[in-house]
């Protein structure tokens, strides 16, 4: 599908909520984001007029989606690298390029590259290769760290899947011994004594321009992000600047194009340790939709199109995002009615729903609350979490009942 006013077409691989929200930003730029979706019911396929149905694992489908586009980008990192290399050989502008995306797909390669660059990472051990030798390396590593370790799959794994937090020898060996040989290999990491988790979101264009949003605090529950506080309350300015510079430097070293999240641990002694990388729009950047002058989704498009990047300044002293996660028991009240009640009670709450069905712990949307000058981070967080809980459970955490008022 050609843009009727001659603007360039960008293709995003994946039809999830990140593509859906990128499409929203594309509309303001006069574009219609093309998406490669697996199903017409995927969140982005519901709203985009330019949808290619197919699989990100099929090279022919990727080629169909890329045809005529000035750039191809991603809402997930699961595309086989060999396919991306072939697209690049065909002349497709893959952004971020396969050489960079490799380090978001492969945790072991990422750990080694970051260590080579002198960036702080947890101690780690490669558990691939011969099973007996790998098991012996696990025992040696575990004993060296008093079995306070984390096991992760080198590839795949997201929102707590493929990650095991361990503190006992028998539990660690059980995970290793029962891990299927046909699955991605494991990596062992030392557990970090941390104060909290942070995220440094940056963007980089092919021209080499970089931009960084304020470093945020992320709150994890059940292995996935639940709340983001922007900027991270009480974070030392020097530490925040260090995190931003680390992310910008890494993006430049790897040749990243687009937005990138560097997830970090702030240790108990105030140091930073790199945890994960994501080379795409990221949950820790959803607050920017309402709380920053340029959202991560607009910025990602600017970057992959090699436009000048936008202003990343926050709109308020504090913005809090809370994910709307599916409840254990889906409420009998419809989502439409829940939206109605939330808007009536909290008119400043910005609701973003993804067009996804409800199931336990599934990310079905998020709520942003933009604080005022005199608001404390704690007060804004309470409001954001109260709103998100209402959207998930149809119950107010403070016991409020509209019918009793």
């Amino acid at each position: 599908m050609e843009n009727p006013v001659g603007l360039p077409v960008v293709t995003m691989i994946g039809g999830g909520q990140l593509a859906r929200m990128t499409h929203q930003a594309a509309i303001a730029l006069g574009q219609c984001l093309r998406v490669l979706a697996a199903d017409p019911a995927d969140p982005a396929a519901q709203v985009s007029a330019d949808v290619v149905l197919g699989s990100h694992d099929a090279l022919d489908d990727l080629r169909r989606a890329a045809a005529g586009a000035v750039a191809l980008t991603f809402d997930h990192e699961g595309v086989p690298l060999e396919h991306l290399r072939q697209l690049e050989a065909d002349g497709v502008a893959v952004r971020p390029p396969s050489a960079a995306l490799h380090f978001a797909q492969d945790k072991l390669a990422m750990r080694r590259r970051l260590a080579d660059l002198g960036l702080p990472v947890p101690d780690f051990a490669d558990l691939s290769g011969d099973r007996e030798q790998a098991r012996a390396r696990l025992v040696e590593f575990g004993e060296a760290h008093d079995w306070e370790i984390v096991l992760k799959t080198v590839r795949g794994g997201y929102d707590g899947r493929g990650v095991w937090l361990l503190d006992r020898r028998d539990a660690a060996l059980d995970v290793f011994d029962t891990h299927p040989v046909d699955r991605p290999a494991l990596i062992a990491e030392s557990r970090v004594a941390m104060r909290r988790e942070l995220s440094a979101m940056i963007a980089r264009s092919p021209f080499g321009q970089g931009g960084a949003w304020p470093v945020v605090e992320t709150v994890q529950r059940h292995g996935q992000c639940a709340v983001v506080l922007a900027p991270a309350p009480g974070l030392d300015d020097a530490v925040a600047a260090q995190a931003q510079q680390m992310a910008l430097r890494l993006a430049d070293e790897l040749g990243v194009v687009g937005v990138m999240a560097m997830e970090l641990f702030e240790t108990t002694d105030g140091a930073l340790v790199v945890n994960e990388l994501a080379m795409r729009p990221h949950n820790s950047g959803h607050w920017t939709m309402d709380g920053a002058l340029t959202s991560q989704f607009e910025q990602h498009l600017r970057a992959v199109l090699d436009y000048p990047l936008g202003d990343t300044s926050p709109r308020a002293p504090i913005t809090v995002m809370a994910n709307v996660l599916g409840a254990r028991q889906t409420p009998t009240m419809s989502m439409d009615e829940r939206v109605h009640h939330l808007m009536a009670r909290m008119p400043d709450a910005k609701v973003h729903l993804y067009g996804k069905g409800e199931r336990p712990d599934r990310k079905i949307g998020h709520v942003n609350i933009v604080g005022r000058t005199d608001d404390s981070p704690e007060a804004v967080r309470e409001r954001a979490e109260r709103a998100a809980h209402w959207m998930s459970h149809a119950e107010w955490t403070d016991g409020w009942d509209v019918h009793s008022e």
Side-chain angles (χ1 to χ4, degrees):
M1 176 180 175
E2 296 294 327
N3 189 296
V5 292
L7 289 170
V9 173
V10 174
T11 293
M12 182 166 266
I13 304 304
Q17 64 261 27
L18 299 179
R20 182 186 178 108
M21 289 182 279
T22 305
H23 175 67
Q24 292 175 248
I27 292 171
L29 297 176
Q31 299 176 334
C32 178
L33 186 77
R34 180 184 299 160
V35 295
L36 175 66
D39 190 287
D42 286 350
Q46 295 173 22
V47 297
S48 176
D50 193 355
V51 179
V52 175
L53 294 177
S55 170
H56 66 266
D57 289 319
L59 180 57
D60 286 345
D61 292 344
L62 292 168
R63 281 178 164 148
R64 285 193 298 119
V70 300
L72 181 142
T73 189
F74 313 94
D75 94 333
H76 63 78
E77 291 109 339
V79 182
L81 288 180
E82 60 269 22
H83 291 352
L84 297 181
R85 296 187 187 108
Q86 185 58 60
L87 291 175
E88 289 166 337
D90 293 344
V92 176
V94 176
R95 296 176 173 170
S98 62
L101 200 63
H102 168 60
F103 297 101
Q105 290 188 357
D106 188 316
K107 294 181 178 66
L108 180 59
M110 181 264 291
R111 284 282 178 255
R112 287 173 170 162
R113 186 74 173 106
L114 266 61
D116 288 344
L117 292 171
L119 294 173
V121 296
D123 193 14
F124 63 94
D126 177 7
L127 303 182
S128 61
D130 180 84
R131 293 280 288 186
E132 288 304 314
Q133 293 178 13
R135 195 177 195 274
R137 289 196 297 273
L138 172 58
V139 171
E140 180 182 8
F141 185 83
E143 289 177 349
H145 294 280
D146 296 323
W147 293 102
E148 293 286 337
I149 65 171
V150 181
L151 291 182
K152 298 179 179 180
T153 55
V154 170
R155 292 178 174 273
Y158 186 66
D159 282 348
R161 295 183 290 275
V163 178
W164 296 267
L165 303 177
L166 303 160
D167 57 10
R168 302 191 326 274
R169 173 192 171 105
D170 57 345
L173 293 178
D174 182 61
V175 171
F176 180 86
D177 292 339
T178 58
H179 187 70
V181 294
D182 60 344
R183 298 285 179 84
L186 296 173
I187 181 175
E189 297 180 356
S190 60
R191 293 184 69 168
V192 175
M194 66 173 182
R195 178 180 300 159
R196 56 181 169 175
E197 296 190 51
L198 304 171
S199 178
M201 286 286 304
I202 62 92
R204 181 180 179 274
S205 70
F207 181 74
Q209 185 185 9
W213 287 273
V215 177
V216 302
E217 178 179 348
T218 64
V219 180
Q220 313 293 317
R221 294 193 187 118
H222 308 298
Q224 63 179 335
C225 181
V227 180
V228 172
L229 296 88
L235 183 64
D236 183 84
D237 289 345
V239 176
Q242 179 191 359
Q244 292 172 320
Q245 288 302 316
M246 284 167 52
L248 288 166
R249 177 192 166 204
L250 181 64
D252 189 60
E253 290 278 357
L254 301 183
V256 173
V257 174
V259 299
M260 184 187 83
M262 176 183 278
E263 297 179 73
L264 301 144
F265 299 130
E266 183 185 13
T267 67
T268 52
D269 60 1
L272 296 174
V273 176
V274 181
N275 180 27
E276 302 279 0
L277 298 176
M279 297 179 190
R280 52 171 172 74
H282 190 256
N283 202 167
S284 66
H286 290 353
W287 70 275
T288 63
M289 297 176 75
D290 302 295
L293 292 179
T294 306
S295 78
Q296 66 164 337
F297 300 104
E298 178 186 338
Q299 195 81 304
H300 187 70
L301 287 168
R302 286 185 181 225
V304 301
L305 288 165
D306 208 8
Y307 290 171
L309 299 183
D311 189 337
T312 55
S313 300
R315 294 180 179 275
I318 182 71
T319 299
V320 178
M321 182 226 71
N323 275 328
V324 179
L325 304 173
R328 291 296 170 190
Q329 182 66 45
T330 300
T332 56
M333 183 185 292
S334 71
M335 181 61 75
D336 177 63
E337 189 173 357
R338 279 175 262 166
V339 171
H340 181 102
H341 283 291
L342 179 65
M343 289 181 170
R345 188 180 183 201
M346 301 176 69
D348 61 328
K350 299 296 185 180
V351 185
H352 302 272
L353 297 176
Y354 305 154
K356 297 164 70 173
E358 297 180 68
R359 64 170 184 251
D361 291 329
R362 188 185 199 189
K363 292 178 184 175
I364 55 177
H366 69 272
V367 177
N368 286 333
I369 299 288
V370 180
R372 297 178 294 269
T373 303
D374 57 347
D375 285 335
S376 69
E378 295 78 14
V380 180
R381 176 177 176 177
E382 187 281 326
R383 287 173 53 75
E385 293 201 70
R386 187 191 338 153
H389 186 88
W390 165 258
M391 294 299 297
S392 297
H393 297 79
E395 61 184 23
W396 294 107
T397 54
D398 60 357
W400 189 79
D401 182 357
V402 63
H403 299 296
S404 66
E405 293 295 310

